[in-house]
């Protein structure tokens, strides 16, 4: 059983909370003028998909969940589960949809990191950016040119993204999966 100080909990880590593994989605360090500093965390239970939050004193010991990550390839969505395949061994694993935050970035054959806890897939870590094709784009409006104007486009998976006015239908754009921001365009 590995433990860490609550002050060292980071976003994206996995800890044991009330006997169940949870993925930390947000952390906030607070040091009030009076009293001991605390770490407020928001988390998602990897077994039930429910979210919650808790406040620890930074000196408290917290049990770390023993998780491993394995690179796998997205295949398809099957009802309430998403199916991934290990490209080396061709083994397949299913992950509940409730444990995947950004479904709109999953495209066939996308390589992701599947998170495992006690031989069970409990989550998915997407790559830092994905390349998607623009399928719908409104025409830009003349005169709307102050402060790097943006427009909303729809990409092949249905996700809507704010992009510069010069982006047109059919172009491939790079999107940051953590912030949902346009990073650039590319030739595929």
């Amino acid at each position: 059983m590995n433990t860490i100080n609550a002050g060292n909990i980071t976003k994206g880590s996995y800890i044991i909370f009330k006997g169940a593994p949870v993925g930390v989605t947000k952390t906030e360090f607070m040091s009030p003028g009076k009293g001991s500093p605390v770490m407020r965390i928001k988390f998602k239970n990897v077994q039930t998909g429910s979210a919650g939050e808790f406040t620890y004193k930074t000196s408290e010991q917290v049990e770390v969940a023993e998780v491993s990550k394995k690179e796998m390839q997205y295949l398809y969505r099957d009802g309430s589960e998403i199916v991934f395949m290990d490209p080396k061994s061709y083994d397949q694993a299913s992950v509940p949809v409730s444990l995947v935050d950004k479904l709109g970035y999953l495209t066939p054959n996308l390589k992701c990191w599947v998170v495992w806890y006690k031989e069970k897939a409990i989550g998915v870590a997407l790559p830092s950016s994905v390349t998607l094709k623009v399928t719908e784009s409104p025409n830009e409006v003349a005169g709307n040119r102050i402060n790097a104007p943006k427009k909303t486009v729809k990409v092949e998976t249905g996700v809507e993204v704010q992009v510069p006015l010069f982006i047109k239908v059919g172009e491939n754009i790079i999107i940051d999966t953590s912030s949902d921001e346009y990073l650039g365009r590319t030739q595929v």
Side-chain angles (χ1 to χ4, degrees):
M1 171 172 107
N2 290 339
T3 61
I4 59 170
N5 282 342
N8 294 333
I9 297 173
T10 58
K11 177 182 175 182
S13 61
Y14 290 85
I15 61 172
I16 303 295
F17 179 75
K18 294 187 179 177
V22 297
V24 178
T25 57
K26 184 178 179 183
T27 60
E28 182 181 2
F29 178 79
M30 294 175 45
S31 183
K34 188 175 182 182
S36 59
V38 294
M39 178 67 81
R40 181 173 293 147
I41 66 164
K42 289 188 178 185
F43 59 84
K44 191 175 203 177
N45 186 311
V46 298
Q47 294 171 334
T48 64
S50 62
E53 56 183 84
F54 192 76
T55 303
Y56 289 103
K57 289 185 179 177
T58 55
S59 58
E60 282 184 74
Q61 291 294 307
V62 179
E63 186 178 352
V64 177
E66 298 293 329
V67 298
S68 60
K69 290 184 178 182
K70 186 176 189 181
E71 187 177 41
M72 298 186 88
Q73 192 173 349
Y74 169 71
L75 291 180
Y76 58 92
R77 182 175 176 170
D78 183 21
S80 63
E81 296 197 327
I82 298 172
V83 180
F84 292 89
M85 178 187 71
D86 183 342
K88 295 175 184 153
S89 66
Y90 301 108
D91 291 336
Q92 292 186 5
S94 295
V95 178
V97 170
S98 63
L99 298 179
V100 181
D101 291 331
K102 309 246 180 162
L103 288 173
Y105 294 129
L106 292 175
T107 57
N109 303 323
L110 179 70
K111 292 193 187 302
C112 303
W113 291 94
V114 177
V115 182
W116 297 82
Y117 176 73
K118 293 188 178 177
E119 303 299 319
K120 184 179 178 198
I122 60 167
V124 177
L126 295 172
S128 60
S129 64
V130 293
T131 301
L132 297 171
K133 183 176 284 218
V134 175
T135 57
E136 291 179 28
S137 173
N139 291 332
E140 57 271 2
V141 178
N144 188 6
R145 300 279 190 264
I146 300 173
N147 296 334
K150 305 253 185 206
K151 65 180 179 180
T152 302
V153 299
K154 191 177 270 190
V155 294
E156 60 190 294
T157 59
V159 173
E160 293 186 346
V161 181
Q162 290 286 318
V163 300
L165 294 177
F166 57 81
I167 300 295
K168 295 178 178 40
V169 172
E171 290 189 279
N172 293 305
I173 60 172
I174 303 168
I175 304 168
D176 184 324
T177 57
S178 60
S179 66
D180 303 327
E181 291 180 351
Y182 165 85
L183 296 177
R185 53 185 177 168
T186 183
Q187 305 293 325
V188 175

